[in-house]
Amino acid sequence: MATLLRALRDQRDLTKPEMLDRLERRAREMREDGFALTERQFSRLEAGEVKTTPRPVNRRVIEAEFGKSLSDLMSLVDRPSSAPVVPGPTALDAEPLERWASIIGGLAQLDHCQGPGGVLEPARSVYASLVEAADHETCRDRPGFLRLAGRCAELIGWFCQDSGRLDDAMTWTARAFDLVEAVEAYEFSAYVLMRRSAIAVEMGNASDALLLAEWALRKSASGQGRALALREVAAAHALNRNVTAFQDAVDKAIGQADGGAGRSPLTTYCSIPYLWSEAGAAAIVGDEPGLAVEYLQRAVAGWEGGQQRDLAVCKARLALAHAHANDVEQVVVVTTESLHDPAAASSPRALSVLHEALRVLGPTSHPAVDQVRHELSTVG
């Protein structure tokens, strides 16, 4: 048994210093200047050994980061199982590359179901095996193994990004780029450049994000690939508060997804509603809540079957946009709808955005808001 706080840290695959860095970052976002928590104090919280109530500022930051009350975080739960062992051939097995590709696909599916905490180490092991196999003197398809190693490195980069380890995410994604460039997998290298740009956006580095996105745009051969690159161009302009350039890049991205020639297996998820959702998220970052609401409403209205978890995130973003616009009624409506959606209830990302929406809304005397806060606290 362990406290829920410890279990959630393990699930994110973070050390205590890394978790404290996350909490300090959250405190800066919340403008909680009085936040101060030592590693020893955090260890006592994780062990459930706290004898006095933590300072209110520390409580607020911890609850905002995890989306749960401190009393819930201190409760005991079953300790999560260790990382799953990925079945598959050894590095020098003669099995075809398709089996390795299926293992990597399985890791991606596990991440989709349970988050990155349990799959990061197995993915690193698969990556090491692929590189070892590519370098072995008996390897008959070195380019094939290096291409898969690049795909695995890009996936590890995503796992790190989703865990908030942005420096590691950039390192792994840059490694993926080197590998796929070496075997001249140019469409994949364009995709990896787009992913590097997305990480730079999350790091708040608009200059690097724009350079990487424009590089990806030049290398992309498919309409959807160009649309995703333009999505990051738009996000970089949003970071710079350049509304005109942001809107222009959004319009171009929609045009590429709508009429751009060519398709790639890497970018099949890139639908027009998906792009509207991404544009709405960028508009929130760019402090344009009106545009964000407009784009996100288009996304929800045009969403077709499939990608229900992405739709749940889109709806949660709409609630967040309404919160930034201080539209209390719509925050309540959209959040209530989301809480009755099984896809949202099972999506940590969607729930995190909904918690953020209520945090942005702040204290209010609206009784419906209190009810929604309570319902959200019971879901996650």
Side-chain angles (χ1 to χ4, degrees), residues 87-169:
T90 63
L92 306 180
D93 202 312
E95 291 285 344
L97 283 172
E98 286 77 6
R99 186 173 180 192
W100 283 104
S102 70
I103 292 171
I104 294 172
L107 289 170
Q109 288 299 315
L110 280 172
D111 168 63
H112 186 74
C113 295
Q114 66 183 43
V119 292
L120 187 54
E121 287 306 318
R124 285 174 175 155
S125 296
V126 170
Y127 171 81
S129 294
L130 287 167
V131 172
E132 180 186 348
D135 290 342
H136 197 270
E137 60 185 10
T138 62
C139 181
R140 298 178 180 178
D141 188 2
R142 176 175 168 80
F145 275 95
L146 289 179
R147 189 178 298 109
L148 273 182
R151 169 67 182 120
C152 191
E154 185 275 322
L155 192 62
I156 293 170
W158 162 245
F159 294 160
C160 292
Q161 183 183 359
D162 200 30
S163 301
R165 300 161 69 166
L166 299 182
D167 289 336
D168 288 343

Side-chain angles (χ1 to χ4, degrees), residues 303-319:
W303 211 282
E304 298 178 353
Q307 293 178 258
Q308 291 303 299
R309 288 169 68 90
D310 285 335
L311 175 57
V313 172
C314 177
K315 290 179 178 178
R317 287 170 172 170
L318 180 56

Side-chain angles (χ1 to χ4, degrees), residues 77-92:
V77 297
D78 290 330
R79 190 77 175 266
S81 59
S82 59
V85 177
V86 179
T90 63
L92 306 180

Side-chain angles (χ1 to χ4, degrees), residues 267-292:
T267 58
T268 54
Y269 62 89
C270 179
S271 65
I272 290 177
Y274 172 85
L275 288 171
W276 284 127
S277 177
E278 294 294 294
I284 293 172
V285 172
D287 198 24
E288 292 289 337
L291 267 181

Side-chain angles (χ1 to χ4, degrees), residues 3-21:
T3 61
L4 179 58
L5 180 62
R6 173 61 188 273
L8 290 175
R9 178 172 69 82
D10 286 347
Q11 188 179 50
R12 296 184 183 193
D13 193 32
L14 297 176
T15 64
K16 287 179 185 176
E18 288 171 338
M19 190 68 252
L20 287 171
D21 284 344

